[in-house]
Amino acid sequence: MMKISTTAVVAFALCLHGTAAAPNVTAVPIGTSCTSYPGFDGRDAGPFIGIADSTGRPVDGIGLNAAYYVDGSHRYGYVIAPAAVPTRNITMRCANNTLQALLNMTTGGEATWEDLVISGDPTLEGALGFGFPEDKYPNIPVTPYWHFINDQQVPGVYIGAEDSTTFGFVDNWAGVAGEYYLLRLLGTERFTKWELDKRDTIGFLKVTYAD
Protein backbone atom coordinates (compact mmCIF):
# COMPACT_ATOMS: atom_id res chain seq x y z
CA MET A 1 0.00 0.00 0.00
CA MET A 2 1.20 3.48 -0.82
CA LYS A 3 1.66 5.86 2.11
CA ILE A 4 1.41 9.62 1.77
CA SER A 5 2.39 12.15 4.43
CA THR A 6 -0.55 14.53 4.65
CA THR A 7 0.26 17.15 7.24
CA ALA A 8 3.95 18.04 7.44
CA VAL A 9 4.01 21.03 5.06
CA VAL A 10 0.56 22.24 6.03
CA ALA A 11 1.29 22.06 9.76
CA PHE A 12 4.50 24.06 9.35
CA ALA A 13 2.72 26.77 7.37
CA LEU A 14 -0.13 27.05 9.86
CA CYS A 15 2.20 27.19 12.86
CA LEU A 16 3.60 30.36 11.36
CA HIS A 17 0.14 31.88 11.81
CA GLY A 18 -0.22 30.60 15.37
CA THR A 19 -2.83 28.06 14.31
CA ALA A 20 -3.14 24.69 16.08
CA ALA A 21 -1.72 21.90 13.97
CA ALA A 22 -2.92 18.31 13.69
CA PRO A 23 -0.33 15.58 14.25
CA ASN A 24 1.91 14.65 11.35
CA VAL A 25 0.31 11.44 10.12
CA THR A 26 0.86 9.24 7.13
CA ALA A 27 -2.38 8.55 5.26
CA VAL A 28 -2.92 5.28 3.42
CA PRO A 29 -5.73 5.22 0.84
CA ILE A 30 -7.95 2.20 1.39
CA GLY A 31 -9.70 2.30 -1.99
CA THR A 32 -13.22 3.16 -3.04
CA SER A 33 -15.03 0.05 -1.80
CA CYS A 34 -17.33 0.17 1.22
CA THR A 35 -15.55 -2.61 3.14
CA SER A 36 -13.64 -0.34 5.53
CA TYR A 37 -16.60 1.76 6.68
CA PRO A 38 -18.60 0.99 9.85
CA GLY A 39 -21.55 -1.34 9.36
CA PHE A 40 -20.33 -3.07 6.19
CA ASP A 41 -22.93 -5.70 5.25
CA GLY A 42 -21.15 -7.41 2.38
CA ARG A 43 -22.06 -4.76 -0.18
CA ASP A 44 -22.78 -1.38 1.41
CA ALA A 45 -22.00 0.18 4.82
CA GLY A 46 -23.71 2.37 7.38
CA PRO A 47 -25.33 4.19 8.92
CA PHE A 48 -22.47 6.11 10.53
CA ILE A 49 -21.47 9.68 11.27
CA GLY A 50 -18.39 11.85 10.85
CA ILE A 51 -16.67 13.66 13.73
CA ALA A 52 -13.95 16.30 13.99
CA ASP A 53 -10.62 14.89 15.16
CA SER A 54 -7.22 16.23 16.28
CA THR A 55 -8.03 19.93 15.86
CA GLY A 56 -6.88 20.87 19.36
CA ARG A 57 -10.18 22.72 19.80
CA PRO A 58 -13.42 21.91 21.67
CA VAL A 59 -14.92 20.84 18.33
CA ASP A 60 -13.03 17.52 18.58
CA GLY A 61 -15.47 14.61 18.88
CA ILE A 62 -18.44 16.70 17.77
CA GLY A 63 -20.50 15.30 14.90
CA LEU A 64 -20.87 17.01 11.53
CA ASN A 65 -23.87 18.86 10.20
CA ALA A 66 -24.87 20.59 6.95
CA ALA A 67 -25.37 24.15 5.69
CA TYR A 68 -27.29 24.64 2.45
CA TYR A 69 -29.26 27.05 0.32
CA VAL A 70 -31.02 27.23 -3.04
CA ASP A 71 -30.25 29.86 -5.67
CA GLY A 72 -32.90 29.58 -8.36
CA SER A 73 -32.65 26.04 -9.68
CA HIS A 74 -29.19 25.39 -8.25
CA ARG A 75 -28.72 23.75 -4.86
CA TYR A 76 -25.65 24.33 -2.73
CA GLY A 77 -24.78 22.24 0.30
CA TYR A 78 -21.70 22.01 2.51
CA VAL A 79 -20.64 19.90 5.46
CA ILE A 80 -19.83 21.90 8.59
CA ALA A 81 -18.44 21.18 12.04
CA PRO A 82 -20.60 23.04 14.60
CA ALA A 83 -18.68 24.72 17.41
CA ALA A 84 -21.31 23.36 19.82
CA VAL A 85 -22.91 19.93 19.88
CA PRO A 86 -25.60 19.83 17.15
CA THR A 87 -29.13 18.62 17.83
CA ARG A 88 -28.71 16.07 15.06
CA ASN A 89 -25.73 14.76 13.11
CA ILE A 90 -25.92 14.14 9.39
CA THR A 91 -26.20 10.43 8.69
CA MET A 92 -23.69 8.89 6.30
CA ARG A 93 -23.44 5.66 4.37
CA CYS A 94 -21.36 4.05 1.66
CA ALA A 95 -23.44 2.79 -1.26
CA ASN A 96 -22.19 1.60 -4.64
CA ASN A 97 -18.63 2.41 -3.48
CA THR A 98 -19.60 6.05 -2.92
CA LEU A 99 -19.69 8.00 0.36
CA GLN A 100 -23.06 9.70 0.81
CA ALA A 101 -24.97 11.72 3.41
CA LEU A 102 -28.67 12.12 4.07
CA LEU A 103 -29.80 15.67 3.33
CA ASN A 104 -33.17 17.38 3.64
CA MET A 105 -33.22 20.87 2.13
CA THR A 106 -36.96 21.59 2.44
CA THR A 107 -39.16 21.85 5.53
CA GLY A 108 -41.44 18.85 5.60
CA GLY A 109 -39.72 17.39 2.55
CA GLU A 110 -38.20 13.98 2.14
CA ALA A 111 -34.50 13.54 2.83
CA THR A 112 -32.38 12.16 0.00
CA TRP A 113 -28.96 10.52 -0.17
CA GLU A 114 -26.43 12.83 -1.81
CA ASP A 115 -22.81 12.12 -2.74
CA LEU A 116 -20.15 13.70 -0.52
CA VAL A 117 -17.54 15.54 -2.58
CA ILE A 118 -14.78 18.10 -2.48
CA SER A 119 -16.26 21.08 -4.28
CA GLY A 120 -14.84 22.16 -7.62
CA ASP A 121 -16.86 25.40 -7.65
CA PRO A 122 -14.35 28.30 -7.78
CA THR A 123 -16.41 30.29 -5.26
CA LEU A 124 -15.72 27.68 -2.56
CA GLU A 125 -13.22 25.34 -4.15
CA GLY A 126 -11.93 22.63 -1.86
CA ALA A 127 -14.89 22.68 0.54
CA LEU A 128 -16.40 19.40 1.73
CA GLY A 129 -19.97 19.33 0.51
CA PHE A 130 -22.63 17.64 -1.55
CA GLY A 131 -22.55 16.85 -5.24
CA PHE A 132 -25.71 17.67 -7.19
CA PRO A 133 -26.54 16.81 -10.82
CA GLU A 134 -26.81 20.51 -11.68
CA ASP A 135 -23.27 21.33 -10.51
CA LYS A 136 -21.40 23.18 -13.26
CA TYR A 137 -17.90 22.26 -12.13
CA PRO A 138 -16.35 18.81 -11.65
CA ASN A 139 -16.19 17.70 -8.03
CA ILE A 140 -13.75 15.30 -6.39
CA PRO A 141 -15.06 12.11 -4.72
CA VAL A 142 -14.37 11.63 -1.01
CA THR A 143 -12.63 8.36 -0.13
CA PRO A 144 -11.47 6.50 3.04
CA TYR A 145 -7.96 6.36 4.52
CA TRP A 146 -6.06 4.78 7.37
CA HIS A 147 -3.69 6.88 9.47
CA PHE A 148 -0.24 5.87 10.67
CA ILE A 149 2.09 7.62 13.13
CA ASN A 150 5.63 6.24 13.28
CA ASP A 151 4.44 3.14 11.41
CA GLN A 152 1.77 2.48 14.05
CA GLN A 153 -1.80 2.47 12.78
CA VAL A 154 -4.18 4.92 14.41
CA PRO A 155 -7.55 3.30 15.18
CA GLY A 156 -10.40 4.28 12.90
CA VAL A 157 -11.15 5.31 9.33
CA TYR A 158 -10.64 8.86 8.09
CA ILE A 159 -11.99 10.58 4.99
CA GLY A 160 -10.24 12.79 2.47
CA ALA A 161 -9.41 13.10 -1.22
CA GLU A 162 -6.44 13.33 -3.58
CA ASP A 163 -4.15 11.63 -1.03
CA SER A 164 -4.89 14.13 1.75
CA THR A 165 -6.98 13.79 4.90
CA THR A 166 -6.09 17.23 6.27
CA PHE A 167 -8.89 19.78 6.45
CA GLY A 168 -8.81 23.44 7.32
CA PHE A 169 -11.50 24.24 9.89
CA VAL A 170 -12.46 27.78 8.88
CA ASP A 171 -14.36 29.68 11.56
CA ASN A 172 -17.71 31.12 10.47
CA TRP A 173 -20.67 32.83 12.08
CA ALA A 174 -24.13 32.54 10.53
CA GLY A 175 -26.59 34.32 12.78
CA VAL A 176 -29.24 31.85 13.98
CA ALA A 177 -27.03 28.98 12.81
CA GLY A 178 -24.42 30.07 15.35
CA GLU A 179 -20.69 29.50 15.11
CA TYR A 180 -19.36 26.67 12.97
CA TYR A 181 -16.35 25.59 10.97
CA LEU A 182 -16.43 25.28 7.21
CA LEU A 183 -14.25 22.35 6.10
CA ARG A 184 -11.75 22.84 3.27
CA LEU A 185 -9.31 20.23 2.02
CA LEU A 186 -5.62 21.07 2.48
CA GLY A 187 -2.34 19.30 1.91
CA THR A 188 -2.57 18.82 -1.85
CA GLU A 189 -0.96 20.69 -4.69
CA ARG A 190 -4.36 21.95 -5.81
CA PHE A 191 -5.52 23.20 -2.42
CA THR A 192 -2.48 24.75 -0.73
CA LYS A 193 -3.52 28.37 -1.26
CA TRP A 194 -6.05 28.69 1.56
CA GLU A 195 -4.78 30.93 4.34
CA LEU A 196 -6.13 30.31 7.83
CA ASP A 197 -6.14 32.88 10.60
CA LYS A 198 -5.85 32.51 14.37
CA ARG A 199 -9.55 31.64 14.75
CA ASP A 200 -9.12 28.70 12.39
CA THR A 201 -7.40 25.37 12.85
CA ILE A 202 -6.64 22.15 10.99
CA GLY A 203 -7.62 18.58 11.72
CA PHE A 204 -9.13 15.39 10.38
CA LEU A 205 -12.57 13.86 9.88
CA LYS A 206 -13.14 10.42 11.34
CA VAL A 207 -16.13 8.14 10.73
CA THR A 208 -17.75 6.24 13.56
CA TYR A 209 -20.97 4.39 14.34
CA ALA A 210 -24.06 6.56 14.74
CA ASP A 211 -25.47 6.81 18.27
Side-chain angles (χ1 to χ4, degrees):
M1 293 179 292
M2 180 172 57
K3 295 184 179 181
I4 303 97
S5 179
T6 63
T7 58
V9 175
V10 175
F12 175 75
L14 295 180
C15 283
L16 295 179
H17 293 276
T19 308
N24 184 21
V25 305
T26 298
V28 176
I30 304 174
T32 59
S33 75
C34 297
T35 57
S36 58
Y37 287 111
F40 179 65
D41 62 7
R43 185 185 67 175
D44 299 326
F48 49 86
I49 62 172
I51 61 173
D53 183 78
S54 301
T55 68
R57 303 286 177 86
V59 71
D60 281 345
I62 292 180
L64 305 179
N65 213 320
Y68 49 82
Y69 65 96
V70 178
D71 182 8
S73 60
H74 196 152
R75 296 170 293 172
Y76 297 88
Y78 299 98
V79 177
I80 62 173
V85 177
T87 56
R88 178 176 296 180
N89 301 314
I90 55 172
T91 301
M92 298 181 182
R93 74 174 184 182
C94 180
N96 299 317
N97 299 329
T98 302
L99 185 62
Q100 299 177 325
L102 198 58
L103 181 65
N104 188 344
M105 299 183 69
T106 58
T107 302
E110 184 176 351
T112 57
W113 289 103
E114 306 293 346
D115 294 352
L116 283 174
V117 300
I118 301 299
S119 175
D121 190 325
T123 60
L124 207 55
E125 191 175 34
L128 177 63
F130 301 90
F132 300 112
E134 64 268 26
D135 288 349
K136 299 178 181 179
Y137 302 93
N139 297 312
I140 302 169
V142 176
T143 53
Y145 293 79
W146 287 318
H147 277 180
F148 288 80
I149 297 178
N150 297 326
D151 292 326
Q152 297 296 313
Q153 185 172 351
V154 179
V157 174
Y158 297 81
I159 58 174
E162 293 198 337
D163 295 330
S164 177
T165 55
T166 304
F167 284 87
F169 284 64
V170 183
D171 187 78
N172 278 267
W173 178 264
V176 294
E179 185 181 6
Y180 66 88
Y181 293 96
L182 185 69
L183 305 169
R184 305 185 84 161
L185 184 69
L186 297 171
T188 74
E189 182 178 351
R190 181 174 178 183
F191 301 125
T192 55
K193 62 184 179 181
W194 309 123
E195 293 186 4
L196 307 182
D197 65 27
K198 63 182 180 180
R199 294 177 60 88
D200 305 331
T201 187
I202 66 171
F204 308 118
L205 299 176
K206 183 179 181 179
V207 296
T208 185
Y209 283 104
D211 294 334

